[in-house]
Amino acid sequence: MTYADTLFKENIENILTNGVFSEQARPKYKDGKTANSKYITGNFATYDLEKGQFPITSLRPIPIKSAIKELLWIYQDQTSSLKVLKEKYGVNYWDEWEVGTTGTIGQRYGATVKKYDIITKLLAGLEKNPWNRRNIINLWQYEDFEATKGLLPCAFQTMFEVRRGESGALYLDATLIQRSNDMLVAHHINAMQYVALQLMIAKHFSWQVGKFFYFINNLHIYDNQFEQAQELLHRTPSKKEPRLILNVPDGTNFFDIKAEDFELVDYEPVRPQLKFDLAI
Ligand SMILES: Nc1nc(=O)c2c([nH]1)NC[C@@H]1CN(c3ccc(C(=O)N[C@@H](CCC(=O)O)C(=O)O)cc3)CN21
Ligand SMILES: O=c1ccn([C@H]2C[C@H](O)[C@@H](COP(=O)(O)O)O2)c(=O)[nH]1
């Protein structure tokens, strides 16, 4: 069993056994009922990408291409327009979170990246001095929250660090900090998106990817997902060790990387796909 599958099964067991219930949850299901969840706090994992530990489960198919396209929408297109997400990338899983009839998810995510010109600043900082210890993307901006309505960012902060490995090559480590995670739906979507971002920045500078650190403050399973949770526990994972590869030459500019350049190899997820009635 891969490290990711071991952790996923452990987290499901842990939430079902030791988790506590939310009491005044914000989201609702489609039928209007409050979407409460069972949760644990302060979940942390380290994946050594260099050693082939990737944060993806084989217990159900993860929509990896959509996840990477959503990431490019945020950090390359730098917009929160649902039209761009749909027409350029064919991804519509954010539609339920449109703010009014604006055609956007509000002044959030990509719109925040653009407003503060975060990627330019991050890349310039790493270029000037890779050891600067200030490589932070922070989407938690109160000014933006006051500007429009909209879901507040869940995966809201990323940090990068550079270190020289034993081989003499430079490695880029990344830390993703997430305040809230719908584990069965989005845990591996979020983790793999940010591994993709780490790969993009590493390629831009001709570095290798090292470790991926993933911290989640509230890791939950919604109360309409317990059956799917049991199903996942009963499934036998694939023995393959999937890896995400970015097929571009070293030094390729961050903004020239495309979704098609990513390849997830040795991924043989268990089917059938599970259905979820999302908390909105
Ligand atoms: N309750 C909840 N969970 C989330 O994961 C979530 C939100 N809300 N709100 C905002 C975004 C939207 N995200 C989503 C929304 C839907 C899917 C989804 O339907 N995923 C399906 C297949 C999608 C596809 O193939 O394109 C899946 O099987 O994972 C995934 C992430 C992640 N976020
Ligand atoms: O990238 C994402 C975006 C959203 N989620 C989940 C986490 C929660 O279940 C909901 C957001 O609800 P809040 O009440 O704002 O916490 O969406 C995710 O896991 N990943």
Side-chain angles (χ1 to χ4, degrees), residues 189-201:
I189 290 179
N190 286 136
M192 289 298 279
Q193 287 178 316
Y194 280 84
V195 167
L197 183 66
Q198 184 178 357
L199 278 161
M200 289 167 74
I201 295 171

Side-chain angles (χ1 to χ4, degrees), residues 71 74-76 78 109-110 112-114 116-123 126 133-141 153-161 172 174-178 193-194 197-198 201 254:
L71 180 96
I74 298 171
Y75 292 104
Q76 286 184 336
Q78 304 184 359
Y109 290 99
T112 296
V113 172
K114 185 182 170 77
Y116 301 97
D117 203 10
I118 292 173
I119 290 296
T120 309
K121 288 173 184 158
L122 179 81
L123 295 177
L126 282 164
R133 301 190 293 211
R134 286 140 196 218
N135 309 303
I136 297 174
I137 294 174
N138 192 352
L139 306 181
W140 198 260
Q141 302 292 344
C154 289
F156 71 92
Q157 183 161 301
T158 324
M159 300 188 280
F160 299 92
E161 268 303 307
L172 183 70
T175 306
L176 173 61
I177 299 178
Q178 185 158 352
Q193 287 178 316
Y194 280 84
L197 183 66
Q198 184 178 357
I201 295 171
F254 179 88

Side-chain angles (χ1 to χ4, degrees), residues 26-27 94 109 151 154 178-182 186 190 220 222:
R26 176 202 60 80
W94 267 96
Y109 290 99
L151 192 70
C154 289
Q178 185 158 352
R179 65 172 178 82
S180 172
N181 184 216
D182 181 347
N190 286 136
H220 48 267
Y222 281 102

Side-chain angles (χ1 to χ4, degrees), residues 26-29 35 60-67 70 90-97 105 109 151-152 154 178 180-187 189-190 193 220 222 225 273-280:
R26 176 202 60 80
K28 304 235 177 301
Y29 298 122
R60 76 173 188 95
I62 297 300
I64 186 77
K65 280 284 169 184
S66 297
E70 180 197 341
V91 175
N92 49 24
Y93 66 48
W94 267 96
D95 286 0
E96 308 272 13
W97 290 272
I105 57 166
Y109 290 99
L151 192 70
L152 302 191
C154 289
Q178 185 158 352
S180 172
N181 184 216
D182 181 347
M183 185 172 72
L184 303 194
V185 174
H187 188 76
I189 290 179
N190 286 136
Q193 287 178 316
H220 48 267
Y222 281 102
Q225 299 174 331
Q273 180 57 291
L274 303 178
K275 288 264 174 291
F276 298 100
D277 175 13
L278 257 65
I280 295 161

Side-chain angles (χ1 to χ4, degrees), residues 25-38:
R26 176 202 60 80
K28 304 235 177 301
Y29 298 122
K30 284 208 180 72
D31 64 7
K33 293 209 175 98
T34 297
N36 274 304
S37 59
K38 224 172 170 188

